[in-house]
Amino acid sequence: MDKLLVRGGRSLQGEVTISGAKNAALPEMCAALLTAEPVHLVNVPRLHDVRTMRKLLDNMGVATETHGERGGMSFVAPDSLNPEAPYELVKTMRASVLALGPLLARFGRARVSLPGGCAIGSRPVDQHIKGLQAMGAEIVVEHGYMVAALPAGRQRLQGARITTDMVTVTGTENLLMAATLAEGETVLENAAQEPEVTDLAEMLIKMGAQIEGHGTSRIRIQGVATLHGCTHQVVADRIEAGTFLCAVAATGGEALLRHARADHLDAVIDKLRDAGVAVQAVADGLRIHSPGAAQLKAQGFRTTEYPGFPTDMQAQFMALNVVAQGTATVAETIFENRFMHVNELARLGARISIDGRVATVTGGAQLSGATVMATDLRASASLVIAGLVARGDTVVDRIYHLDRGYDAMEAKLRGLGADIERISA
């Protein structure tokens, strides 16, 4: 099992190119199921989850191909494919649930395993099921699978007004894709507003879908009989960009993050600026300059749905708070079990106390290297950031979590001057 060895104490300088967003690429790969025509994606990140999704599509009978140096992938989903997502292929990846809506919409039936993923708390799929049932689907959960079909004599899903009980990104994406081929109008209330949802909608529009309101809490979809192929570039990964912003801020230095978008990171950038970091939008990305942790002020924040502070940036910003000056409170409102990185940060010397879903960080810690264990994807990134600041060597174990969401992180950090390498156990 691979590990990362980080020798801390270096400031980060230079340029880094931000990869395509995993959380956009995965639903967009599933969107290829909505048509028999070729779908081409550009800027697909090279990640474990992407490889898993490709295996899943291959197993169904989709013809997939990689090409070019810019993360190009092509998909052709024939009418004869098998609309099933087996447990063996999806047990490690929650995004498998995104196959349910497209399969049901185009083929009238689907059998999709209940998903897995990071152990950061309950992420139920009941909102997906509720929404598809409102569109006329018959769905049962049996033997660990969601088994869905249209009623006898029904050829298409039916448009409906759907209000989810909570804001759910994958739920919005699943219902959005399903609604594109439904009969009549579908209105999604309480829809997720994340840039990845908007990017998926823009791709679907290129395929012939009729969608309005994406990027707001109400999305209207007028169903069409068929969709066609398209070419689409995956939007840059705002969480990868935010992670590198926190890394540069914590270590000090200056960097250009190519393709990063300021309008996708408003909440994070505001907190960085309040901390004393200079962040500027430039022609092709973001430029950051940090005076170093000794001159930064720890910042409190509360995670919430987009456009608020993202839960996927909580751990990374906490690592910054650990070495900045002052005390800050961090409230996690999205997932009930997302402070698992705290004990590992403490092994490096962090001073953090937890009361329920609120963590209090006492900054100014002098971190020293140690062996730590990654517990989930974003926790992995927080440990890497802390290791970059710590004196001595830090070994981050179980980095398969990191590989699920970051495209060659150690190589990109080396390009910025970090002393970091992947080692085999």
Side-chain angles (χ1 to χ4, degrees):
M1 188 178 298
D2 287 356
K3 305 176 183 181
L4 285 182
L5 172 60
V6 187
R7 300 179 179 92
R10 296 190 179 188
S11 64
L12 300 183
Q13 308 276 348
E15 297 184 5
V16 61
T17 298
I18 301 303
S19 300
K22 177 191 82 161
N23 290 340
L26 296 178
E28 287 164 3
M29 292 171 73
C30 288
L33 294 167
L34 291 165
T35 178
E37 295 185 12
V39 170
H40 306 285
L41 294 178
V42 181
N43 202 33
V44 180
R46 295 166 296 178
L47 302 172
H48 179 75
D49 278 7
V50 169
R51 291 192 292 271
T52 300
M53 182 64 80
R54 182 182 181 183
K55 289 179 183 176
L56 175 64
L57 296 174
D58 285 339
N59 188 71
M60 291 180 189
V62 178
T64 66
E65 182 181 354
T66 58
H67 52 85
E69 297 182 356
R70 296 187 58 224
M73 295 188 75
S74 297
F75 310 86
V76 179
D79 294 332
S80 58
L81 68 74
N82 176 29
E84 179 171 339
Y87 173 75
E88 292 73 18
L89 287 174
V90 304
K91 60 185 177 182
T92 63
M93 185 183 65
R94 174 173 172 74
S96 60
V97 72
L98 290 166
L100 180 62
L103 289 174
L104 186 57
R106 181 175 164 206
F107 297 96
R109 60 190 178 91
R111 186 172 182 266
V112 177
S113 172
L114 292 169
C118 288
I120 58 174
S122 175
R123 297 195 277 186
V125 298
D126 60 327
Q127 300 303 303
H128 304 240
I129 294 173
K130 172 186 172 183
L132 292 170
Q133 287 174 332
M135 299 170 72
E138 297 176 343
I139 304 176
V140 296
V141 178
E142 58 184 18
H143 308 298
Y145 281 80
M146 295 171 287
V147 182
L150 295 179
R154 185 76 58 82
Q155 300 299 314
R156 296 169 64 186
L157 291 169
Q158 303 298 301
R161 180 177 293 272
I162 302 168
T163 303
T164 53
D165 296 338
M166 64 191 73
V167 177
T168 162
V169 174
T170 54
T172 298
E173 292 167 341
N174 227 342
L175 299 175
L176 173 62
M177 289 188 284
T180 60
L181 293 179
E183 188 173 0
E185 183 181 72
T186 298
V187 180
L188 303 181
E189 302 280 6
N190 202 28
Q193 303 175 51
E194 274 74 359
E196 295 81 15
V197 176
T198 300
D199 197 55
L200 171 63
E202 293 295 337
M203 174 186 172
L204 293 169
I205 290 169
K206 291 177 183 176
M207 296 172 69
Q210 297 182 17
I211 303 171
E212 296 179 349
H214 44 295
T216 75
S217 62
R218 179 184 290 116
I219 304 177
R220 293 182 177 273
I221 309 102
Q222 190 68 40
V224 297
T226 59
L227 295 175
H228 52 72
C230 75
T231 297
H232 180 74
Q233 179 166 318
V234 180
V235 69
D237 191 330
R238 62 193 170 97
I239 303 302
E240 183 188 35
T243 299
F244 277 94
L245 288 175
C246 286
V248 175
T251 62
E254 185 172 358
L256 172 65
L257 279 59
R258 292 201 176 277
H259 306 326
R261 290 182 53 170
D263 59 329
H264 291 173
L265 284 165
D266 285 337
V268 175
I269 291 173
D270 285 348
K271 289 296 179 183
L272 286 169
R273 287 172 174 163
D274 290 344
V277 180
V279 183
Q280 179 185 9
V282 294
D284 187 30
L286 288 170
R287 185 172 294 280
I288 176 175
H289 174 76
S290 172
Q295 299 183 53
L296 300 181
K297 182 179 179 181
Q299 297 296 309
F301 59 89
R302 176 179 181 271
T303 65
T304 187
E305 293 85 1
Y306 188 85
F309 196 99
T311 182
D312 279 352
M313 281 301 305
Q314 177 252 108
Q316 301 93 305
F317 208 102
M318 187 182 289
L320 172 60
N321 276 342
V322 163
V323 295
Q325 308 307 303
T327 299
T329 58
V330 175
E332 173 58 58
T333 73
I334 305 299
F335 295 125
E336 70 274 15
N337 196 25
R338 206 163 200 182
F339 283 148
M340 291 188 292
H341 51 283
V342 168
N343 287 338
E344 299 304 304
L345 287 172
R347 288 180 51 78
L348 299 171
R351 296 173 292 181
I352 308 170
S353 61
I354 299 176
D355 183 7
R357 290 195 176 194
V358 178
T360 300
V361 183
T362 301
Q366 300 299 311
L367 301 184
S368 59
T371 297
V372 291
M373 181 178 67
T375 53
D376 64 65
L377 171 54
R378 305 309 172 184
S380 308
S382 75
L383 298 175
V384 171
I385 293 171
L388 290 169
V389 181
R391 298 188 307 271
D393 294 355
T394 297
V395 176
V396 183
D397 202 354
R398 292 175 60 178
I399 60 168
Y400 58 84
H401 290 294
L402 197 74
D403 293 338
R404 288 186 50 238
Y406 290 94
D407 185 346
M409 175 184 256
E410 70 275 16
K412 291 182 178 182
L413 286 170
R414 278 198 303 272
L416 292 172
D419 189 348
I420 182 173
E421 61 178 311
R422 182 178 293 252
I423 58 176
S424 299

